[in-house]
């Protein structure tokens, strides 16, 4: 262990590097079958310079925590806001990883992500990248959540409306869609090995901030 670095923080950093290496295609599902082999390969990649260190903070855990907390508190608009942001972060990660595995540069990934609406990202963009189609029912839910988010984010001062049963039903569907989105990503990027990675690195970063 490096002197002066908290073991929990070191484990957290290593976990993020693992996720980055897998998403970019530097580590494969076969590598993960032997954790020690995977760790050794990652160390070699970093040592010889074949792996560009990219440290990216994944906010999705915090976003989903907040969406669910506001859902429980029946704060509809805020729950929708965080659900929609979670979905956008998730599909952006899938698109970015897919393009990097196809050896496209960061500019291409950023350009495509910025140019496309969330409806496009869950639709024709996946087809363009030869990725599996997203469940139609969950895709429809995500599109509705995005529309509701936009109404709140671009508020027109048209008056307050009490959340209706249909609104709360949308949040329940969003929760199911979030579970599906995680499974979709795990199957696509990690080939079902995400849980195995998490077991390698039990130490976690500080807990998500809760709503006040």
């Amino acid at each position: 262990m490096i002197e002066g670095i908290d073991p929990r923080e070191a484990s957290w950093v290593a976990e993020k590097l693992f996720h980055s290496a897998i998403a970019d295609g530097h580590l494969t599902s076969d590598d993960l079958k032997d954790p020690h082999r995977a760790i050794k390969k990652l160390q070699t990649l970093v040592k010889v310079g074949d792996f560009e260190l990219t440290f990216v903070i994944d906010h999705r855990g915090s976003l989903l925590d907040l969406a669910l907390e506001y859902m429980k508190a029946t704060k509809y608009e805020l729950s929708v806001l965080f659900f929609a942001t979670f979905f956008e972060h998730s599909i952006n990660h899938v698109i970015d990883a897919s393009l990097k595995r196809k050896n496209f540069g960061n500019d291409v990934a950023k350009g495509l992500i910025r140019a496309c609406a969330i409806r496009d990202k869950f639709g024709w963009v996946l087809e363009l990248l030869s990725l599996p189609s997203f469940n139609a029912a969950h895709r429809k839910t995500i599109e509705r959540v995005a529309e509701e988010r936009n109404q709140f984010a671009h508020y027109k001062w048209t008056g307050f409306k009490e959340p209706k049963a249909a609104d709360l039903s949308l949040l329940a569907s969003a929760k199911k869609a979030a579970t599906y989105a995680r499974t979709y990503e795990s199957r696509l990027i990690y080939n079902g090995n995400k849980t195995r990675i998490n077991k390698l690195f039990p130490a976690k970063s500080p807990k998500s901030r809760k709503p006040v």
Side-chain angles (χ1 to χ4, degrees):
M1 188 64 61
I2 301 176
E3 185 178 353
I5 297 182
D6 185 282
R8 286 174 56 85
E9 293 298 325
S11 178
W12 184 71
V13 170
E15 180 187 0
K16 298 308 175 186
L17 287 175
F18 247 73
H19 285 299
S20 178
I22 293 165
D24 294 350
H26 294 289
L27 290 179
T28 67
S29 57
D30 286 337
D31 293 326
L32 294 178
K33 292 178 182 178
D34 183 346
H36 296 290
R37 169 188 171 188
I39 292 173
K40 186 175 181 180
K41 183 175 180 179
L42 181 60
Q43 290 174 333
T44 301
L45 287 169
V46 174
K47 185 176 180 179
V48 301
D50 287 342
F51 176 51
E52 182 181 352
L53 293 175
T54 305
F55 189 81
V56 179
I57 302 298
D58 187 349
H59 297 285
R60 288 173 299 170
S62 297
L63 292 170
L64 189 55
D65 284 346
L66 288 167
L68 294 173
E69 287 293 329
Y70 282 125
M71 177 181 173
K72 291 178 182 178
T74 63
K75 294 184 178 181
Y76 176 72
E77 292 87 355
L78 292 173
S79 183
V80 160
L81 176 66
F82 286 106
F83 266 126
T85 309
F86 166 83
F87 289 130
E88 190 123 35
H89 281 214
S90 296
I91 195 62
N92 287 351
H93 182 226
V94 168
I95 293 171
D96 179 73
S98 178
L99 287 170
K100 286 180 178 177
R101 289 181 177 186
K102 296 177 185 295
N103 295 319
F104 285 99
N106 288 331
D107 289 343
V108 174
K110 289 180 180 178
L112 184 61
I113 288 171
R114 288 174 178 171
C116 296
I118 194 166
R119 180 190 300 268
D120 301 323
K121 293 175 183 178
F122 282 96
W124 64 262
V125 173
L126 295 181
E127 183 177 358
L128 180 69
L129 297 175
S130 299
L131 299 176
S133 59
F134 206 83
N135 177 275
H138 292 313
R139 177 183 169 187
K140 184 176 181 180
T141 293
I142 292 170
E143 290 174 1
R144 287 183 58 203
V145 168
E147 291 172 1
E148 291 292 297
R149 183 269 310 271
N150 290 340
Q151 288 186 24
F152 175 61
H154 305 288
Y155 191 54
K156 302 299 189 298
W157 296 92
T158 55
F160 172 77
K161 294 190 300 181
E162 193 72 29
K164 300 178 181 179
D167 297 328
L168 300 180
S169 176
L170 176 59
L171 295 182
S173 296
K175 181 179 179 181
K176 294 178 181 178
T179 299
Y180 175 83
R182 282 181 154 182
T183 302
Y184 178 90
E185 179 200 36
S186 181
R187 183 176 67 248
L188 186 67
I189 296 180
Y190 301 98
N191 197 24
N193 289 297
K194 194 170 185 179
T195 300
R196 185 176 295 176
I197 300 172
N198 292 337
K199 289 181 179 179
L200 281 174
F201 305 100
K204 299 297 180 183
S205 59
K207 292 184 178 181
S208 308
R209 179 179 59 85
K210 300 297 182 182
V212 294

